[in-house]
């Protein structure tokens, strides 16, 4: 379950969202752009690890993945997806 709960700290999420806001405003510096790409890459890696752990747990429980996610309170259909 530790792998399923892995993610950014609250502070890192704040930094990430601040950079996305600056990107939308087109005010990112080149260094900030590089930082946003690095953070996005890390987030993608964490999500891959997380979904792999969820798939393993669903298989172990012989349960559909979406049912498991619902049981764990994980939204399988996020309303907002923001890509870099």
């Amino acid at each position: 379950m530790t792998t399923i709960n892995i993610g950014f700290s609250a502070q890192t999420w704040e930094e990430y969202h601040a950079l996305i806001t600056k990107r939308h405003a087109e005010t990112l510096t080149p260094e900030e752009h590089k930082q946003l790409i690095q953070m996005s890459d890390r987030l993608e890696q964490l999500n891959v690890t997380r979904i792999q752990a969820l798939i393993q747990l669903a298989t172990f429980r012989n349960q559909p993945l979406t049912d498991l996610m619902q049981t764990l309170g994980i939204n399988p259909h996020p309303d907002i997806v923001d890509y870099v």
Side-chain angles (χ1 to χ4, degrees):
M1 291 296 276
T2 303
T3 304
I4 291 171
N5 292 325
I6 196 167
F8 282 169
S9 67
Q11 179 181 351
T12 302
W13 274 118
E14 285 181 29
E15 293 169 8
Y16 181 74
H17 289 295
L19 290 171
I20 288 174
T21 299
K22 289 186 81 172
R23 186 195 68 206
H24 286 236
E26 298 181 5
T27 58
L28 274 179
T29 66
E31 185 59 36
E32 289 170 330
H33 186 251
K34 181 179 176 182
Q35 181 183 5
L36 179 57
I37 290 170
Q38 290 171 344
M39 292 176 84
S40 296
D41 288 347
R42 179 67 181 138
L43 182 58
E44 185 175 351
Q45 291 170 351
L46 291 171
N47 284 334
V48 167
T49 300
R50 185 178 195 204
I51 197 68
Q52 288 172 335
L54 284 166
I55 290 167
Q56 288 176 345
L57 183 58
T59 300
F60 177 77
R61 290 185 176 185
N62 196 27
Q63 183 178 19
L65 179 59
T66 53
D67 290 353
L68 173 67
M69 291 175 74
Q70 185 175 23
T71 300
L72 297 175
I74 300 170
N75 182 2
H77 308 289
D79 298 324
I80 300 173
V81 177
D82 194 343
Y83 297 99
V84 176

